[in-house]
Amino acid sequence: MTILVTGGAGFIGSNFIFHMMEAHPEDRIVCLDALTYAGNLSTLESVLDAGGFRFVKGDIADRDLVYSLFEEERPDVVVNFAAESHVDRSIEDPEIFLRTNIIGTSVLMDASRRCGVKRFHQVSTDEVYGDLPLDRPDLFFTEDTPLHTSSPYSSSKAGADLLVLAYHRTYGLPVTISRCSNNYGPYQFPEKLIPLMIINALSDRPLPVYGRGENVRDWLYVEDHCKAIDLIIHKGRVGQVYNIGGHNEMRNIDIVRLVLEELGKPESLITYVADRKGHDLRYAIDPAKMHSELGWLPETMFRDGIVKTIRWYLENESWWRPIISGEYMNYYDRMYSGKVKA
Ligand code: NAD
Ligand code: TYD
């Protein structure tokens, strides 16, 4: 079958392409990606010339381009990773989040209806549920937790989720949605917590921790997320939402300390900076449905995953070094110079 993967030049999408090409070599993969600041064609270098793979540069919100690609390729399955994905950028400038994450998703679903796509899978996030209090470790997000977003990013993802469910009910589009917790692993853009801390530590630059570093995230190794999506598109029930997470909650400050320890760098590099506006306190996923319905369980323990990830950044400086020049440095200076506490 032909699988259209949008956003496949980004972090999770590229890992998903690598996983699918290995697990299902008989399938054809078409990747549609606009190559925004977060998309990097060099990430896909190892598969660009492979048989059964095609890369197309384009915007998911460009209706003419999307319709003609669907007519040409007639995909059986669409997996939509394409998104603006960084909370801090959404706080700075929400508009592009609405265009890509909501309008883009609706254009892809219109094209999917026209072409009789057999499955439209929307890659969503646990952030659509808002946050949980720090002093109630007994509470988790289930698929029935009401949507209650905090940032322009999570609101745009929640808007897309509602549209996806509406296309299912109104037009009968065969959809599934997955809502995953925070991912880490190779090829993550260095604006996100773990790669940012690894790269700053390697360069002996300050490690900017928002607030007191007590916010909690539920971390999942990216390959486990990719395997879960593979299961959902093959065996998941149409119209259903699946939460993905590994019961691996960590405070930000503990992650930062672990990165420093692994790299043999001093804790004096930690710099507490002004908090993120509207900063979600705690995310924690209940992944029971993924386990009971689809038999999915995470395979990578956090300690192993973080060591593998750090090693990957150490061995792949040629991937991240060009990324942290130019536009990224302008972004970094803009975001972090304003955050430094007096
Ligand atoms: P990313 O920012 O690394 O990659 C996004 C990709 O989408 C990039 O390659 C970019 O070029 C592409 N893109 C952006 N706008 C586009 C457009 N208009 N048309 C076509 N392509 C476009 O993001 P990621 O971390 O890989 O996240 C992928 C998906 O997973 C997103 O939908 C995100 O909401 C979701 N998600 C991410 C996490 C996480 O921890 N990173 C957790 C749960 C869910
Ligand atoms: P991030 O990787 O942006 O993911 P998300 O906000 O989607 O969970 O941030 C993870 C956590 O790390 C979040 O609580 C914010 C915090 N953080 C910092 O403390 N410093 C930083 O420089 C960044 C980017 C994030």
Side-chain angles (χ1 to χ4, degrees):
M1 68 183 181
T2 297
I3 304 176
L4 177 70
V5 177
T6 68
F11 166 45
I12 309 175
S14 60
N15 278 283
F16 180 73
I17 289 172
F18 301 145
H19 163 78
M20 292 299 280
M21 289 182 72
E22 202 169 314
H24 307 281
E26 68 288 359
D27 289 340
R28 173 173 166 74
I29 304 271
V30 178
C31 170
L32 172 64
D33 195 298
L35 297 180
T36 68
Y37 79 92
N40 200 333
L41 204 48
S42 77
T43 303
L44 294 173
E45 207 179 324
S46 63
V47 296
L48 276 180
D49 295 326
F53 179 79
R54 177 184 176 197
F55 178 82
V56 178
K57 182 177 185 303
D59 180 349
I60 58 166
D62 179 340
R63 197 171 284 276
D64 291 342
L65 180 142
V66 169
Y67 280 14
S68 62
L69 179 63
F70 271 65
E71 258 149 41
E72 199 184 328
E73 290 288 349
R74 297 259 147 203
D76 301 285
V77 174
V78 176
V79 185
N80 182 26
F81 290 93
E84 289 293 332
S85 68
H86 192 38
V87 172
D88 293 323
R89 287 186 191 250
S90 83
I91 293 168
E92 254 211 333
D93 187 4
E95 193 172 335
I96 186 68
F97 286 73
L98 308 186
R99 178 179 152 82
T100 294
N101 300 2
I102 301 179
I103 306 284
T105 301
S106 76
V107 169
L108 287 172
M109 290 195 295
D110 287 337
S112 299
R113 286 175 58 213
R114 282 164 52 111
C115 285
V117 159
K118 295 187 199 74
R119 178 65 65 88
F120 180 90
H121 182 73
Q122 175 70 359
V123 180
S124 185
T125 164
D126 61 355
E127 299 191 29
V128 298
Y129 299 120
D131 64 353
L132 295 164
L134 291 174
D135 60 356
R136 289 292 308 273
D138 54 314
L139 296 181
F140 296 92
F141 298 135
T142 73
E143 288 79 1
D144 297 324
T145 301
L147 304 191
H148 189 262
T149 55
S150 312
S151 70
Y153 162 67
S154 55
S155 304
S156 68
K157 294 295 290 185
D161 282 13
L162 292 174
L163 259 185
V164 171
L165 294 173
Y167 270 61
H168 174 59
R169 174 156 175 169
T170 307
Y171 306 116
L173 187 69
V175 306
T176 38
I177 296 177
S178 53
R179 295 183 180 143
C180 192
S181 58
N182 286 57
N183 284 214
Y184 67 101
Y187 299 109
Q188 186 166 30
F189 193 82
E191 68 190 351
K192 302 282 168 56
L193 179 75
I194 290 181
L196 185 142
M197 296 301 163
I198 296 172
I199 288 173
N200 278 21
L202 283 174
S203 327
D204 295 306
R205 291 164 58 105
L207 271 50
V209 172
Y210 297 168
R212 293 151 58 98
E214 285 170 353
N215 303 59
V216 170
R217 298 292 182 263
D218 183 356
W219 293 94
L220 185 72
Y221 192 61
V222 63
E223 207 178 321
D224 282 324
H225 185 186
C226 296
K227 288 181 179 169
I229 295 174
D230 182 358
L231 273 175
I232 295 169
I233 60 177
H234 286 99
K235 298 189 181 143
R237 286 183 296 140
V238 162
Q240 294 290 308
V241 174
Y242 292 90
N243 280 358
I244 307 173
H247 279 304
N248 182 57
E249 291 176 50
M250 307 247 327
R251 295 188 313 165
N252 295 338
I253 187 66
D254 295 327
I255 302 247
V256 173
R257 289 203 176 110
L258 188 58
V259 167
L260 288 170
E261 187 191 316
E262 286 295 329
L263 288 172
K265 297 287 183 176
E267 290 203 2
S268 55
L269 284 176
I270 294 174
T271 310
Y272 292 94
V273 300
D275 211 351
R276 174 184 281 172
K277 292 190 182 95
H279 199 171
D280 279 335
L281 294 172
R282 169 176 169 250
Y283 302 145
I285 280 274
D286 175 358
K289 183 173 174 181
M290 274 303 296
H291 181 54
S292 63
E293 275 194 23
L294 303 178
W296 177 87
L297 278 177
E299 292 167 24
T300 304
M301 301 291 294
F302 185 74
R303 191 80 201 200
D304 298 337
I306 196 79
V307 168
K308 264 204 277 190
T309 303
I310 291 173
R311 196 180 317 129
W312 187 86
Y313 280 90
L314 280 170
E315 289 169 0
N316 290 277
E317 190 170 337
S318 59
W319 180 82
W320 56 261
R321 182 66 66 193
I323 290 175
I324 62 163
S325 57
E327 196 275 341
Y328 175 74
M329 281 321 290
N330 296 336
Y331 160 83
Y332 193 90
D333 292 342
R334 201 168 67 239
M335 295 302 279
Y336 289 89
S337 61
K339 277 189 194 294
V340 174
K341 278 180 178 164

